[in-house]
Amino acid sequence: MISIQHEDFDPGLEQAKLSGNTGTGAVVAFTGLVRDENLGDDVGGLYLEHYPGMTEKALQDIIDEAATRWPLQAIKVIHRVGQLFPGDRIVYVGVASAHRKAAFEICEFVMDYLKTRAPFWKRETTAEGERWVDAREADQSAAERW
Amino acid sequence: MINVLFFASYREKLDCEKLQLGSGEYPKTLSELREQLSKKGDDWCEVLNDSRTLVALNQTMTRKDFELNEGDEVAFFPPVTGG
């Protein structure tokens, strides 16, 4: 259900795994990618740090919260850590539910909460050197609307 | 003993990943721990008293003050930026 890993993942394979139940009417998946630009600067790479132990616990809490709000049938959350480069997949949230509205909402809810509650930190490499990415106010507002 | 952890930019700024405080070395509450560690220097004071600093007790984020007990793990870290 939750995987924190260095290696890449296959969104198609994850999608197939979430589609195995004939009671499932909708599978919605989000894949986040590393961009080559941030705040007007070229980004050559991204290093992902996390808090082992707490990360898994925080993600499980988010999933548990989603399950109390929507009819969630299956979910997979993958987050990569370590050194990544532009174009690399970084995060995957795949959700199976009976109907599309719930599936879309769960997927968005989990991503919004993940961005403000799961202990991951990005350090990006730019032409000026390395810098820790600052949290965005917009992410906080997105999480608060739920 | 309690473990105090620092992550990401805070770990780098303080050049400290983990502090172990034996019984008798740590105070009764989180707020007292903040005060105690703030005395270690300007960087420590800044990190521990920044209003954006997040705190986790035994791997669960909390915004309240709490009592410290033997075996606790307290973590200080900047706002998270995953996803």
Side-chain angles (χ1 to χ4, degrees), chain B residues 52-69:
Chain B
R52 292 166 302 176
T53 296
L54 299 174
V55 181
L57 170 63
N58 297 325
Q59 306 188 348
T60 299
M61 255 198 266
T62 174
R63 296 197 176 275
K64 296 177 188 155
D65 198 11
F66 50 81
E67 283 192 11
L68 293 168
N69 293 298

Side-chain angles (χ1 to χ4, degrees), chain A residues 30 32 48-54 57-58 61 79 90-91 111 114-123 132-136 139-140, chain B residues 3 5-13 17 52 54-63 73-83:
Chain A
F30 170 81
L48 250 300
E49 176 176 331
H50 77 122
Y51 180 174
M54 179 174 167
K57 209 164 153 179
D61 286 348
H79 206 299
I90 177 167
V91 61
M111 271 311 299
L114 180 154
K115 277 185 148 315
T116 54
R117 299 187 180 199
F120 292 100
W121 301 274
K122 292 185 184 116
R123 191 181 64 208
W132 290 96
V133 175
D134 273 331
R136 294 167 64 233
D139 290 333
Q140 194 60 44
Chain B
N3 286 313
L5 310 179
F6 300 92
F7 288 93
S9 56
Y10 290 179
R11 185 194 62 248
E12 288 185 351
K13 188 169 181 167
E17 185 175 348
R52 292 166 302 176
L54 299 174
V55 181
L57 170 63
N58 297 325
Q59 306 188 348
T60 299
M61 255 198 266
T62 174
R63 296 197 176 275
E73 179 172 294
V74 181
F76 294 96
F77 46 82
V80 301
T81 55

